[in-house]
Amino acid sequence: MSDPLDPEILARILHLATLAPSPFNLQPWRFLVVRDAANRRRLQACAWNHPQVGQAPVVVIVLGFHEPDRTHLDAVLAPQLELGASTPARAAEIRGRALATLGRVTDRSLWALRSAMLAASALMRAAESLGVASALIDNFDHEAARTNFGVPDDHTVCCLIALGHTAEAEPFPGRFGLDEVCYAEHFGQPWTG
């Protein structure tokens, strides 16, 4: 994973990741892109010297933003109104539901983590669709990454995603079948299709 990554391909991957779904379209994810070799070495130290963090030409630190309802709700609703995709009454209704729903959230960090991980998954799928290999790294010192890269307290450090080109294709590791991971109507009831 050491060949440089075309900046246009990287921008496309990041853009596609922003299309992930989120509650009320608040998009509570942020992507901190680390390309500089010295910074990647610092990040690799935060990841207990994980080799893919050091080898990849790009590592994305995926963050979950805790309070997009307080800072970006108007920015989400305004384009819908301008494009005629929503009415003022509908926008007011969405605003009210968003504020009420998020007012009941007791753990903003966990709330943000859930959406950020959807975006991380979208980022990895986008990379794959464009011929770029990716590796999810979730075992690292989150606080060291926060400190070393200036991540504010109102963001959760979710995961690292290493991006690059592999020297050779790796075989697909396989997945469990539906009979192992799916249930019908009630947990523990066998999936029958």
Side-chain angles (χ1 to χ4, degrees), residues 52-117:
Q52 288 173 316
V53 175
Q55 295 165 358
V58 176
V59 182
V60 179
I61 304 173
V62 179
L63 308 170
F65 178 39
H66 301 180
E67 301 177 353
D69 54 311
R70 296 181 183 143
T71 59
H72 289 78
L73 188 53
D74 289 335
V76 166
L77 295 173
Q80 295 175 22
L81 289 167
E82 289 170 17
L83 295 170
S86 185
T87 64
R90 174 81 174 129
E93 187 262 330
I94 292 170
R95 169 187 293 288
R97 281 192 304 113
L99 294 175
T101 299
L102 290 165
R104 291 187 295 270
V105 171
T106 58
D107 185 342
R108 287 287 183 125
S109 178
L110 178 60
W111 178 85
L113 173 75
R114 289 176 178 145
S115 288
M117 290 307 289

Coordinates of all heavy atoms in Angstrom, one line a residue, residues 52-117:
Q52 N 0.0 -1.1 8.5 CA -0.8 -0.5 7.4 C -0.9 1.0 7.5 O -1.0 1.7 6.5 CB -2.2 -1.2 7.3 CG -2.1 -2.6 6.7 CD -3.4 -3.3 6.8 OE1 -4.2 -3.2 7.7 NE2 -3.8 -4.0 5.7
V53 N -0.8 1.5 8.8 CA -0.9 2.9 9.0 C 0.4 3.5 8.4 O 0.4 4.6 7.8 CB -1.1 3.3 10.4 CG1 -1.0 4.8 10.7 CG2 -2.4 2.8 10.9
G54 N 1.5 2.8 8.6 CA 2.8 3.3 8.1 C 3.0 3.1 6.6 O 3.7 3.9 5.9
Q55 N 2.4 2.1 6.0 CA 2.6 1.8 4.6 C 1.7 2.5 3.7 O 2.1 2.8 2.5 CB 2.4 0.3 4.4 CG 3.4 -0.6 5.1 CD 3.0 -2.1 5.2 OE1 1.9 -2.4 4.7 NE2 3.9 -2.9 5.7
A56 N 0.5 2.8 4.1 CA -0.5 3.5 3.3 C -0.1 4.9 3.0 O 0.4 5.6 3.8 CB -1.9 3.4 3.9
P57 N -0.3 5.4 1.7 CA 0.0 6.8 1.4 C -1.0 7.8 2.0 O -0.7 8.9 2.1 CB -0.1 6.8 -0.1 CG -1.0 5.7 -0.5 CD -0.8 4.6 0.6
V58 N -2.2 7.2 2.4 CA -3.2 8.1 3.0 C -3.9 7.3 4.1 O -4.2 6.1 4.0 CB -4.3 8.4 1.9 CG1 -5.5 9.2 2.6 CG2 -3.7 9.2 0.8
V59 N -4.1 8.0 5.2 CA -4.9 7.4 6.3 C -5.9 8.4 6.7 O -5.6 9.6 6.9 CB -4.0 7.0 7.6 CG1 -4.9 6.4 8.7 CG2 -2.9 6.1 7.2
V60 N -7.1 8.0 6.8 CA -8.2 8.9 7.2 C -8.6 8.6 8.6 O -8.9 7.5 8.9 CB -9.5 8.7 6.2 CG1 -10.6 9.6 6.6 CG2 -9.1 8.9 4.8
I61 N -8.6 9.6 9.4 CA -9.1 9.5 10.8 C -10.6 9.9 10.7 O -11.0 11.0 10.3 CB -8.4 10.5 11.8 CG1 -6.9 10.2 11.7 CG2 -9.0 10.3 13.2 CD1 -6.1 11.2 12.5
V62 N -11.5 8.9 11.0 CA -12.9 9.2 10.9 C -13.4 9.7 12.2 O -13.2 9.0 13.3 CB -13.7 7.9 10.4 CG1 -15.2 8.2 10.4 CG2 -13.2 7.4 9.1
L63 N -14.1 10.8 12.2 CA -14.6 11.4 13.5 C -16.1 11.5 13.4 O -16.7 11.7 12.4 CB -14.0 12.9 13.6 CG -12.5 13.0 13.4 CD1 -12.1 14.5 13.3 CD2 -11.8 12.4 14.6
G64 N -16.7 11.5 14.6 CA -18.1 11.7 14.8 C -18.3 13.0 15.5 O -17.8 13.2 16.6
F65 N -19.1 13.9 14.9 CA -19.3 15.2 15.5 C -20.6 15.1 16.3 O -21.6 14.7 15.9 CB -19.5 16.2 14.3 CG -19.8 17.6 14.8 CD1 -19.2 18.2 15.9 CD2 -20.7 18.4 14.1 CE1 -19.5 19.5 16.3 CE2 -21.0 19.7 14.4 CZ -20.4 20.2 15.6
H66 N -20.5 15.5 17.6 CA -21.5 15.4 18.6 C -22.7 16.3 18.4 O -23.8 15.9 18.8 CB -21.0 15.6 20.0 CG -19.8 14.7 20.4 ND1 -19.2 14.7 21.6 CD2 -19.2 13.7 19.7 CE1 -18.3 13.8 21.7 NE2 -18.2 13.2 20.5
E67 N -22.5 17.5 17.9 CA -23.6 18.5 18.0 C -23.9 19.1 16.7 O -24.1 20.4 16.6 CB -23.2 19.5 19.0 CG -23.0 18.9 20.4 CD -22.5 19.9 21.4 OE1 -22.2 21.1 21.1 OE2 -22.4 19.5 22.6
P68 N -24.1 18.4 15.6 CA -24.5 19.0 14.3 C -25.8 19.7 14.4 O -26.0 20.6 13.6 CB -24.4 17.9 13.3 CG -24.8 16.7 14.2 CD -24.2 16.9 15.5
D69 N -26.7 19.3 15.2 CA -28.0 19.9 15.3 C -27.9 21.4 15.8 O -28.7 22.2 15.5 CB -28.9 19.1 16.3 CG -28.3 18.9 17.6 OD1 -27.2 18.4 17.7 OD2 -29.0 19.1 18.6
R70 N -26.8 21.6 16.6 CA -26.6 23.0 17.1 C -25.9 23.9 16.2 O -26.0 25.1 16.3 CB -25.9 22.9 18.5 CG -26.7 22.2 19.5 CD -26.0 22.1 20.8 NE -26.8 21.3 21.8 CZ -26.4 20.4 22.6 NH1 -25.1 20.3 22.8 NH2 -27.2 19.8 23.4
T71 N -25.2 23.3 15.2 CA -24.4 24.1 14.3 C -24.7 24.0 12.9 O -24.4 24.9 12.1 CB -22.9 23.7 14.5 OG1 -22.8 22.3 14.1 CG2 -22.4 23.9 15.9
H72 N -25.4 22.9 12.4 CA -25.6 22.7 11.0 C -27.0 22.4 10.6 O -27.3 22.2 9.4 CB -24.7 21.6 10.5 CG -23.2 21.9 10.5 ND1 -22.4 21.9 11.6 CD2 -22.4 22.3 9.5 CE1 -21.2 22.3 11.3 NE2 -21.2 22.5 10.0
L73 N -27.9 22.5 11.5 CA -29.3 22.2 11.1 C -29.9 23.1 10.1 O -30.5 22.7 9.1 CB -30.2 22.2 12.4 CG -31.7 21.7 12.2 CD1 -31.7 20.3 11.5 CD2 -32.4 21.6 13.5
D74 N -29.6 24.4 10.2 CA -30.1 25.4 9.2 C -29.4 25.1 7.9 O -30.0 25.2 6.8 CB -29.8 26.8 9.7 CG -30.7 27.3 10.8 OD1 -31.8 26.7 10.9 OD2 -30.3 28.2 11.6
A75 N -28.1 24.8 7.9 CA -27.4 24.5 6.6 C -27.9 23.3 5.9 O -27.8 23.2 4.7 CB -25.9 24.4 6.9
V76 N -28.5 22.3 6.7 CA -29.1 21.2 6.1 C -30.5 21.5 5.5 O -30.8 21.0 4.4 CB -29.2 20.0 7.2 CG1 -30.1 18.9 6.7 CG2 -27.9 19.5 7.5
L77 N -31.2 22.3 6.2 CA -32.6 22.6 5.8 C -32.6 23.7 4.6 O -33.5 23.6 3.8 CB -33.4 23.1 7.0 CG -33.7 22.0 8.0 CD1 -34.3 22.6 9.2 CD2 -34.4 20.8 7.5
A78 N -31.8 24.6 4.6 CA -31.8 25.7 3.7 C -31.8 25.3 2.2 O -32.6 25.7 1.4 CB -30.7 26.7 3.9
P79 N -30.9 24.4 1.8 CA -30.9 24.0 0.4 C -32.2 23.2 0.0 O -32.6 23.4 -1.1 CB -29.7 23.0 0.3 CG -28.8 23.3 1.5 CD -29.7 23.8 2.5
Q80 N -32.8 22.5 0.9 CA -34.0 21.8 0.6 C -35.1 22.8 0.3 O -35.9 22.7 -0.6 CB -34.4 20.9 1.8 CG -33.5 19.8 2.0 CD -33.8 19.0 3.3 OE1 -35.0 19.0 3.7 NE2 -32.9 18.3 3.8
L81 N -35.1 23.9 1.1 CA -36.1 25.0 0.8 C -35.8 25.7 -0.5 O -36.7 25.9 -1.3 CB -36.1 26.0 2.0 CG -36.7 25.5 3.3 CD1 -36.3 26.4 4.4 CD2 -38.2 25.3 3.2
E82 N -34.5 26.0 -0.7 CA -34.1 26.7 -2.0 C -34.4 25.9 -3.2 O -34.8 26.5 -4.2 CB -32.6 27.1 -1.9 CG -32.3 28.1 -0.9 CD -30.8 28.3 -0.7 OE1 -30.0 27.8 -1.5 OE2 -30.4 28.9 0.3
L83 N -34.3 24.6 -3.1 CA -34.5 23.7 -4.3 C -36.0 23.4 -4.5 O -36.3 22.7 -5.4 CB -33.7 22.5 -4.2 CG -32.1 22.7 -4.2 CD1 -31.4 21.4 -3.9 CD2 -31.7 23.2 -5.6
G84 N -36.8 23.8 -3.5 CA -38.2 23.4 -3.6 C -38.5 21.9 -3.1 O -39.5 21.4 -3.4
A85 N -37.5 21.3 -2.5 CA -37.6 19.9 -2.1 C -38.3 19.8 -0.7 O -38.7 18.8 -0.3 CB -36.2 19.3 -2.0
S86 N -38.5 21.0 -0.1 CA -39.3 21.1 1.1 C -40.0 22.4 1.2 O -39.7 23.3 0.5 CB -38.3 21.0 2.3 OG -38.9 20.9 3.5
T87 N -41.0 22.4 2.0 CA -41.8 23.6 2.3 C -41.4 24.2 3.6 O -40.8 23.5 4.5 CB -43.3 23.3 2.3 OG1 -43.5 22.5 3.5 CG2 -43.7 22.6 1.0
P88 N -41.6 25.5 3.9 CA -41.3 26.0 5.2 C -42.0 25.2 6.3 O -41.4 25.0 7.4 CB -41.9 27.4 5.2 CG -41.8 27.8 3.7 CD -42.1 26.5 3.0
A89 N -43.2 24.7 6.1 CA -43.9 23.9 7.2 C -43.2 22.6 7.4 O -43.0 22.2 8.5 CB -45.3 23.7 6.8
R90 N -42.8 22.0 6.3 CA -42.1 20.7 6.4 C -40.7 20.9 7.1 O -40.3 20.1 7.9 CB -41.9 20.1 5.0 CG -41.1 18.8 5.0 CD -41.8 17.6 5.4 NE -41.0 16.4 5.2 CZ -40.8 15.5 6.2 NH1 -41.4 15.6 7.3 NH2 -40.0 14.5 5.9
A91 N -40.0 21.9 6.7 CA -38.7 22.2 7.3 C -38.9 22.5 8.8 O -38.0 22.0 9.6 CB -38.0 23.4 6.6
A92 N -39.9 23.2 9.2 CA -40.2 23.5 10.6 C -40.5 22.2 11.4 O -40.0 22.0 12.5 CB -41.3 24.4 10.8
E93 N -41.2 21.3 10.7 CA -41.5 20.0 11.3 C -40.2 19.1 11.5 O -40.0 18.5 12.5 CB -42.5 19.2 10.4 CG -43.1 18.0 11.0 CD -42.4 16.7 10.5 OE1 -41.9 16.8 9.3 OE2 -42.3 15.7 11.2
I94 N -39.4 19.1 10.5 CA -38.1 18.4 10.6 C -37.3 19.0 11.7 O -36.7 18.3 12.5 CB -37.4 18.4 9.2 CG1 -38.1 17.6 8.2 CG2 -35.9 17.9 9.4 CD1 -37.6 17.7 6.8
R95 N -37.2 20.3 11.7 CA -36.4 21.0 12.8 C -36.9 20.5 14.2 O -36.1 20.2 15.0 CB -36.5 22.5 12.6 CG -35.9 23.3 13.8 CD -36.2 24.7 13.7 NE -35.4 25.3 12.6 CZ -34.1 25.5 12.6 NH1 -33.4 25.2 13.6 NH2 -33.5 26.0 11.5
G96 N -38.2 20.6 14.3 CA -38.8 20.2 15.6 C -38.5 18.8 16.0 O -38.1 18.5 17.2
R97 N -38.6 17.9 15.1 CA -38.3 16.5 15.4 C -36.9 16.2 15.6 O -36.5 15.5 16.5 CB -38.8 15.6 14.2 CG -40.3 15.3 14.2 CD -40.7 14.2 13.3 NE -40.3 14.4 11.9 CZ -39.4 13.6 11.2 NH1 -38.9 12.6 11.8 NH2 -39.1 13.9 10.0
A98 N -36.0 16.9 14.9 CA -34.6 16.7 15.1 C -34.2 17.2 16.4 O -33.4 16.5 17.2 CB -33.8 17.5 14.0
L99 N -34.6 18.4 16.8 CA -34.2 19.0 18.1 C -34.8 18.1 19.3 O -34.1 17.9 20.3 CB -34.7 20.4 18.2 CG -34.0 21.4 17.3 CD1 -34.5 22.8 17.4 CD2 -32.5 21.4 17.5
A100 N -36.1 17.7 19.1 CA -36.7 16.8 20.2 C -35.9 15.5 20.3 O -35.6 15.0 21.4 CB -38.1 16.6 19.9
T101 N -35.6 14.9 19.1 CA -35.0 13.6 19.2 C -33.6 13.7 19.8 O -33.2 12.9 20.7 CB -34.9 13.0 17.7 OG1 -36.2 12.8 17.2 CG2 -34.1 11.7 17.7
L102 N -32.8 14.7 19.3 CA -31.4 14.8 19.8 C -31.4 15.3 21.2 O -30.5 15.1 22.0 CB -30.6 15.7 18.8 CG -30.4 14.9 17.5 CD1 -29.9 15.8 16.5 CD2 -29.4 13.8 17.8
G103 N -32.5 16.0 21.6 CA -32.6 16.4 23.0 C -32.7 15.3 24.0 O -32.4 15.4 25.2
R104 N -33.2 14.1 23.5 CA -33.3 12.9 24.3 C -32.0 12.1 24.3 O -31.9 11.1 25.0 CB -34.5 12.1 23.9 CG -35.8 12.8 24.1 CD -37.0 11.8 23.8 NE -37.1 11.5 22.4 CZ -37.8 12.2 21.5 NH1 -38.5 13.3 21.9 NH2 -37.9 11.8 20.3
V105 N -31.1 12.4 23.5 CA -29.8 11.6 23.4 C -29.0 11.8 24.6 O -28.6 13.0 24.9 CB -29.1 11.9 22.1 CG1 -27.7 11.2 22.1 CG2 -29.9 11.5 20.9
T106 N -28.7 10.8 25.3 CA -27.9 10.9 26.6 C -26.4 10.8 26.3 O -25.6 11.2 27.1 CB -28.4 9.9 27.6 OG1 -28.2 8.6 27.1 CG2 -29.8 10.1 28.0
D107 N -26.0 10.1 25.3 CA -24.6 9.9 25.0 C -24.3 10.4 23.6 O -24.5 9.6 22.6 CB -24.3 8.4 25.1 CG -22.8 8.1 25.0 OD1 -22.0 9.0 24.4 OD2 -22.3 7.1 25.5
R108 N -24.0 11.6 23.4 CA -23.7 12.2 22.1 C -22.5 11.5 21.4 O -22.5 11.4 20.2 CB -23.5 13.7 22.2 CG -24.7 14.5 22.5 CD -25.6 14.6 21.3 NE -26.8 15.5 21.5 CZ -27.1 16.5 20.8 NH1 -26.4 16.8 19.7 NH2 -28.2 17.2 21.0
S109 N -21.5 11.1 22.2 CA -20.4 10.4 21.6 C -20.8 9.2 20.9 O -20.4 8.9 19.7 CB -19.4 10.1 22.7 OG -18.3 9.5 22.1
L110 N -21.6 8.3 21.5 CA -22.1 7.1 20.9 C -23.0 7.4 19.7 O -22.9 6.8 18.7 CB -22.9 6.3 22.0 CG -23.5 5.0 21.5 CD1 -22.4 4.0 20.9 CD2 -24.3 4.3 22.6
W111 N -23.9 8.4 19.9 CA -24.8 8.8 18.8 C -23.9 9.2 17.5 O -24.2 8.7 16.4 CB -25.6 10.0 19.2 CG -26.5 10.5 18.1 CD1 -27.7 10.0 17.7 CD2 -26.2 11.5 17.2 NE1 -28.2 10.7 16.7 CE2 -27.3 11.6 16.3 CE3 -25.2 12.4 17.0 CZ2 -27.4 12.6 15.3 CZ3 -25.2 13.3 16.0 CH2 -26.3 13.4 15.2
A112 N -22.9 10.0 17.7 CA -22.0 10.4 16.6 C -21.3 9.2 16.0 O -21.1 9.1 14.8 CB -21.1 11.5 17.1
L113 N -20.8 8.3 16.9 CA -20.1 7.2 16.4 C -20.8 6.3 15.5 O -20.3 5.9 14.4 CB -19.7 6.3 17.7 CG -19.0 5.0 17.4 CD1 -17.6 5.2 16.9 CD2 -19.0 4.1 18.6
R114 N -22.1 6.2 15.7 CA -22.9 5.3 14.8 C -23.0 5.9 13.4 O -22.8 5.1 12.5 CB -24.4 5.2 15.4 CG -24.4 4.4 16.7 CD -25.8 4.4 17.3 NE -25.9 3.5 18.4 CZ -26.6 3.8 19.5 NH1 -27.4 4.9 19.5 NH2 -26.6 3.0 20.5
S115 N -23.3 7.1 13.3 CA -23.3 7.7 11.9 C -21.9 7.8 11.3 O -21.8 7.5 10.1 CB -23.9 9.1 12.0 OG -25.3 9.0 12.2
A116 N -20.9 8.1 12.1 CA -19.6 8.1 11.5 C -19.1 6.8 11.0 O -18.4 6.7 10.0 CB -18.6 8.6 12.6
M117 N -19.5 5.7 11.7 CA -19.2 4.4 11.2 C -19.9 4.0 9.9 O -19.4 3.3 9.0 CB -19.4 3.3 12.3 CG -18.4 3.5 13.4 SD -16.6 3.5 12.9 CE -16.4 1.8 12.5

